[in-house]
Amino acid sequence: MESAKRKLLANLLKETSQKLSSTEAMEKEYNQVEDTGPTPGDAWRQHDAMVSRGLCESAVKHSGSNRYSNLFPFEENRVVLAPGTPDYINASWVNIPEVKDKFILTMAPLYPNDVSLRPTKFGFRTEESTCTEFWRMVEQTECKLVVMLCKLEPGYSGCSQYFPAEIGDSQTHGHNKVTLESEVEIEAGIVERRLTIAGEAGRARTIDHVQFNNWPNYGVVEDLHQLTSFVKKVYEMNNGRPEPMIVHCSGGIGRSGTFTAVYSVYFLLNQYIKTGNQSLLNGVTKDGSINLVQVVLRMREQRHPWMVEGDHQYMLAYKAVLKLLKQSIPE
């Protein structure tokens, strides 16, 4: 690596580390992130304001197709399914400036037995399955990579078994037949699968599916090495594909947003190392340090005002970026 690149990255590492050591600086920065949405600075009123102002009309119309009753995607950026009905899925197009890789962030598919018989404040009882809509979206967008950031947990309705559980088995969702061809745990907590999907016309194609199991709902990853290994694995698997990668956790807000923020910075760091074009980093740096404000605000404007859910996930994103940055500087 040329000395100029090494110097810039080393300075980013130093300045970002110093910033993270200041509780006051990080609180001030996170307050900038919270100052968005229809009710800036008032997170708990965001949902009601979105509904009352008609910002999520399709989600309201298809309320039973949402796992959580207060996580509705903005209408403007939602993925519109076609042809056929319904055209709704709780999924959003997300793009980050200078990041060529495309993202769809989505709520994990529902299945009737996912949902508790006891309705909660944040959940619906439903007889609907959204697995069919999920695989319609995969086909329509020609997605070749699905990123799963949650476990399949018995007794918890965070995600359905929307793909076959055993190698060689198939599931049929609408016109799409999904078959599990292979499955291997490539590292602790990281599972890589190869699926095939065959549509109504019988054309079969391959889908890569990679799952990270060690990220609790509403929580943070304890082992940063596992998370950064996963981010690098997804980067290698996507390999500049023009098709969008589909990213989901349970709600498609917290873990999905945090992953996308970390991945985006990692993508831009790699592009800078390859090209030397410092302007690529303008949207993720400020005052000589990595700055996640614009990346997170961008996602909050496109999908939901709670993207990267809470200051604990915001700090996790920074810690992961810092580790990836350190790993990018050769000894």
Side-chain angles (χ1 to χ4, degrees), residues 138-277:
V138 170
E139 273 294 85
Q140 177 179 315
T141 62
E142 298 186 339
C143 165
K144 295 179 181 176
L145 176 61
V146 175
V147 178
M148 180 177 181
L149 299 166
C150 57
K151 290 182 179 179
L152 293 166
E153 301 178 81
Y156 172 61
S157 62
C159 182
S160 75
Q161 180 71 57
Y162 65 91
F163 54 88
E166 301 292 334
I167 295 174
D169 285 356
S170 299
Q171 291 180 351
T172 299
H173 299 290
H175 296 302
N176 291 307
K177 181 180 179 181
V178 181
T179 304
L180 178 61
E181 304 292 349
S182 65
E183 177 179 296
V184 60
E185 185 172 29
I186 57 175
E187 193 175 321
I190 301 176
V191 180
E192 183 178 351
R193 299 180 179 88
R194 182 64 57 89
L195 303 165
T196 56
I197 179 171
E200 189 172 14
R203 178 180 70 95
R205 63 185 185 88
T206 300
I207 308 293
D208 291 319
H209 185 283
V210 61
Q211 178 184 9
F212 187 71
N213 279 313
N214 293 336
W215 199 338
N217 196 22
Y218 302 114
V220 297
V221 179
E222 293 184 2
D223 189 332
L224 269 181
H225 173 75
Q226 291 178 341
L227 178 57
T228 56
S229 291
F230 183 76
V231 171
K232 290 191 285 187
K233 177 64 179 176
V234 174
Y235 179 81
E236 292 166 3
M237 291 177 72
N238 200 51
N239 196 26
R241 289 170 173 166
E243 303 85 8
M245 71 173 82
I246 292 176
V247 180
H248 78 83
C249 47
S250 179
I253 301 291
R255 288 170 286 186
S256 295
T258 305
F259 166 84
T260 303
V262 175
Y263 182 95
S264 295
V265 176
Y266 183 64
F267 179 95
L268 293 172
L269 286 171
N270 275 281
Q271 291 304 299
Y272 166 69
I273 291 169
K274 291 177 182 177
T275 67
N277 184 356

Side-chain angles (χ1 to χ4, degrees), residues 98 268 277-286 289 291 294:
E98 303 295 348
L268 293 172
N277 184 356
Q278 191 172 334
S279 67
L280 291 169
L281 301 178
N282 288 347
V284 294
T285 57
K286 185 179 180 181
S289 70
N291 187 286
Q294 292 306 315

Side-chain angles (χ1 to χ4, degrees), residues 303-320:
R303 176 154 170 77
H304 191 277
W306 290 354
M307 298 299 294
V308 185
E309 202 166 2
D311 55 0
H312 58 299
Q313 290 192 346
Y314 192 70
M315 285 300 297
L316 173 65
Y318 259 113
K319 291 175 182 177

